Amino acid sequence: MRQVDREAAQKMMHAFMQFRKVNWHQWANAGRKPSEIMVMRCLYRCASSDMPGMKVHDISNFLHVTSPTVTQLVNELEKDGLVERKMDPADRRAIRVTLTSAGMAVVQEASAHFIALFGGLVAHLGKERSEQLVELLNEVFDYFQEEHKGWDQVNRGESEGKP
C-alpha cells in the first residue's frame, strides 16, 4: 500500500470541493438549464456533420443519461422552438431530433460565453501556467479513470484473484 501524505491529500480534496460552490454552468448557459445546453451542444455537433439529426436513444448514449431524461429535455426544447423532431428519411419509423435556427443561436451564444469564461482564466493565469494547468488536469483525469477501473473490479470481486 502506498504512503499517503494526509495533509497534502486534504488540501487537494478541499481545492477540488471548492468547485461545487462555483456554479459556473450558470454563467454560460444562455438562459437555459445546463442539461438543455448539453443536449443542444450534442445536436450542434451532429449538425456540423452529414447526419440528419439524432435519435433520442443516441443522444442518451452520448450523454450517459436515460432516454426518458432526454425525452423530457427534448420536449421542453421543442416547446420553446429550439429543436424539432423529423422523420428519418432512411427509416420512416425513426424520429430524429435537430436544432432549429433559434437553437443554433442559443448554442453559439453559450459557446461564446464559455470561451470568454475560460479565456478570462487564461488571461488571469497566463499562457504558460494555463498550459501547465491543462496538462495537470489531464493527468488528474487519467489518474481517476485508471483508479475507477480498479474500483469497478473490486466492486465485481475481480481484484486480487477473487471470483
Side-chain angles (χ1 to χ4, degrees), residues 2 29 32 36 67 75 86 110 157:
R2 56 184 164 215
N29 68 2
R32 305 304 305 189
E36 293 173 337
S67 289
N75 288 344
K86 294 182 178 179

Side-chain angles (χ1 to χ4, degrees), residues 96-162:
R96 294 194 175 265
V97 182
T98 59
L99 283 173
T100 62
S101 57
M104 288 273 201
V106 169
V107 173
Q108 290 167 345
E109 180 185 345
S111 294
H113 285 296
F114 267 115
I115 294 296
L117 177 66
F118 284 96
L121 180 59
V122 170
H124 175 76
L125 294 174
K127 185 173 169 110
E128 185 177 325
R129 288 178 62 205
S130 294
E131 288 173 357
Q132 287 176 320
L133 178 60
V134 168
E135 208 172 290
L136 287 169
L137 289 172
N138 284 329
E139 285 183 42
V140 168
F141 177 80
D142 291 344
Y143 169 79
F144 281 115
Q145 284 289 94
E146 194 59 35
E147 277 296 307
H148 190 268
K149 284 180 192 172
W151 293 341
D152 284 348
Q153 290 173 350
V154 168
N155 289 336
R156 289 190 309 254
E158 296 175 12
S159 66
E160 301 175 15
K162 295 179 184 172

Side-chain angles (χ1 to χ4, degrees), residues 43 46-47 51-54 59 74 82-86 96-100 103:
L43 293 169
C46 177
M51 290 177 47
M54 294 181 76
I59 298 169
V74 168
L82 301 173
V83 302
E84 58 188 1
R85 289 178 168 98
K86 294 182 178 179
R96 294 194 175 265
V97 182
T98 59
L99 283 173
T100 62

